[in-house]
Coordinates of all heavy atoms in Angstrom, one line a residue:
M556 N -58.5 56.8 17.2 CA -57.4 56.5 18.2 C -58.0 56.3 19.6 O -57.5 56.9 20.6 CB -56.4 57.6 18.1 CG -55.7 57.6 16.8 SD -54.1 58.5 16.8 CE -54.6 60.1 17.0
D557 N -59.1 55.6 19.7 CA -59.7 55.3 21.0 C -59.0 54.2 21.8 O -57.9 53.7 21.3 CB -61.2 55.0 20.9 CG -61.5 53.8 20.0 OD1 -60.5 53.1 19.8 OD2 -62.6 53.6 19.6
E558 N -59.5 53.7 22.9 CA -58.8 52.7 23.7 C -58.6 51.4 22.9 O -57.8 50.6 23.2 CB -59.6 52.3 24.9 CG -60.4 53.2 25.8 CD -61.5 54.0 25.1 OE1 -62.5 53.4 24.6 OE2 -61.3 55.3 25.0
T559 N -59.5 51.2 21.8 CA -59.3 49.9 21.1 C -58.3 50.0 20.0 O -58.1 49.0 19.2 CB -60.7 49.5 20.5 OG1 -61.0 50.5 19.5 CG2 -61.7 49.4 21.6
L560 N -57.6 51.2 19.8 CA -56.7 51.3 18.7 C -55.7 50.2 18.6 O -55.6 49.5 17.6 CB -55.9 52.6 18.9 CG -54.7 52.8 17.9 CD1 -55.1 52.9 16.5 CD2 -53.8 54.0 18.3
W561 N -55.0 49.9 19.7 CA -54.0 48.8 19.6 C -54.6 47.4 19.5 O -54.0 46.6 18.9 CB -53.0 48.9 20.8 CG -52.2 50.2 20.8 CD1 -52.2 51.2 21.7 CD2 -51.3 50.5 19.7 NE1 -51.3 52.2 21.3 CE2 -50.7 51.8 20.1 CE3 -50.8 49.9 18.6 CZ2 -49.8 52.5 19.3 CZ3 -49.9 50.6 17.8 CH2 -49.4 51.9 18.2
D562 N -55.8 47.2 20.1 CA -56.4 45.9 19.9 C -56.7 45.7 18.4 O -56.4 44.6 17.9 CB -57.8 45.9 20.6 CG -57.6 46.1 22.1 OD1 -56.5 45.8 22.6 OD2 -58.5 46.6 22.8
R563 N -57.2 46.8 17.8 CA -57.5 46.6 16.4 C -56.3 46.4 15.5 O -56.2 45.6 14.6 CB -58.3 47.8 15.9 CG -59.8 47.8 16.4 CD -60.5 49.0 15.9 NE -60.3 50.2 16.7 CZ -59.6 51.3 16.3 NH1 -59.1 51.3 15.1 NH2 -59.4 52.3 17.2
V564 N -55.2 47.2 15.8 CA -54.0 47.1 15.0 C -53.4 45.7 15.2 O -53.0 45.0 14.3 CB -53.0 48.2 15.5 CG1 -51.6 47.9 14.9 CG2 -53.4 49.6 15.1
W565 N -53.4 45.2 16.4 CA -52.9 43.9 16.8 C -53.6 42.8 16.0 O -53.1 41.9 15.4 CB -53.0 43.7 18.3 CG -52.5 42.3 18.8 CD1 -53.3 41.4 19.4 CD2 -51.2 41.8 18.7 NE1 -52.6 40.3 19.8 CE2 -51.3 40.5 19.3 CE3 -50.0 42.2 18.1 CZ2 -50.2 39.6 19.4 CZ3 -48.9 41.3 18.2 CH2 -49.0 40.1 18.9
K566 N -55.0 43.0 16.0 CA -55.8 42.0 15.3 C -55.5 42.0 13.8 O -55.4 40.9 13.1 CB -57.3 42.2 15.6 CG -58.2 41.2 14.9 CD -59.5 41.0 15.6 CE -60.3 39.8 15.0 NZ -60.2 39.6 13.6
T567 N -55.5 43.2 13.2 CA -55.3 43.4 11.8 C -54.0 42.7 11.4 O -53.9 41.9 10.5 CB -55.2 44.8 11.4 OG1 -56.4 45.5 11.8 CG2 -54.9 45.0 9.9
W568 N -53.0 42.9 12.3 CA -51.6 42.4 12.0 C -51.7 40.8 12.1 O -51.2 40.1 11.2 CB -50.6 42.9 13.0 CG -49.2 42.3 12.7 CD1 -48.4 42.6 11.7 CD2 -48.6 41.3 13.5 NE1 -47.3 41.8 11.8 CE2 -47.4 41.0 12.9 CE3 -49.0 40.7 14.7 CZ2 -46.5 40.1 13.5 CZ3 -48.1 39.8 15.3 CH2 -46.9 39.5 14.6
Q569 N -52.3 40.4 13.1 CA -52.4 38.9 13.3 C -53.1 38.2 12.1 O -52.6 37.2 11.6 CB -53.1 38.6 14.6 CG -52.3 38.6 15.8 CD -53.0 38.2 17.1 OE1 -54.1 38.7 17.3 NE2 -52.5 37.3 17.8
D570 N -54.2 38.8 11.7 CA -54.9 38.3 10.5 C -54.0 38.2 9.3 O -53.9 37.2 8.6 CB -56.1 39.1 10.2 CG -57.2 38.9 11.3 OD1 -57.0 38.0 12.2 OD2 -58.2 39.7 11.3
T571 N -53.4 39.4 9.0 CA -52.5 39.4 7.9 C -51.4 38.4 7.9 O -51.1 37.7 7.0 CB -51.9 40.8 7.7 OG1 -52.9 41.8 7.9 CG2 -51.2 41.0 6.4
L572 N -50.8 38.3 9.1 CA -49.7 37.4 9.3 C -50.1 36.0 9.2 O -49.4 35.2 8.5 CB -49.0 37.7 10.7 CG -47.7 36.9 10.8 CD1 -46.6 37.6 10.0 CD2 -47.3 36.9 12.3
S573 N -51.2 35.6 9.8 CA -51.5 34.2 9.8 C -51.9 33.8 8.3 O -51.6 32.6 7.9 CB -52.6 33.8 10.8 OG -53.6 34.7 10.7
D574 N -52.4 34.7 7.6 CA -52.7 34.5 6.2 C -51.4 34.2 5.5 O -51.3 33.2 4.7 CB -53.4 35.7 5.6 CG -53.9 35.5 4.2 OD1 -54.5 34.4 4.0 OD2 -53.6 36.4 3.4
A575 N -50.4 35.0 5.7 CA -49.1 34.9 5.0 C -48.4 33.5 5.5 O -47.9 32.8 4.7 CB -48.2 36.0 5.3
V576 N -48.5 33.2 6.8 CA -47.9 32.0 7.3 C -48.5 30.8 6.7 O -47.9 29.8 6.3 CB -47.9 32.0 8.8 CG1 -47.6 30.6 9.3 CG2 -47.0 33.0 9.4
G577 N -49.9 30.9 6.6 CA -50.6 29.8 5.9 C -50.1 29.5 4.5 O -49.8 28.4 4.1
K578 N -50.0 30.7 3.8 CA -49.5 30.6 2.4 C -48.1 29.9 2.3 O -47.8 29.1 1.5 CB -49.5 31.9 1.7 CG -50.8 32.4 1.1 CD -50.6 33.7 0.4 CE -51.9 34.2 -0.1 NZ -51.8 35.7 -0.3

Side-chain angles (χ1 to χ4, degrees):
M556 297 198 288
D557 58 14
E558 321 58 65
T559 65
L560 168 67
W561 292 117
D562 298 336
R563 283 179 280 112
V564 169
W565 178 241
K566 178 155 190 322
T567 301
W568 178 74
Q569 276 183 311
D570 289 351
T571 312
L572 189 71
S573 46
D574 188 44
V576 167
K578 273 186 189 158

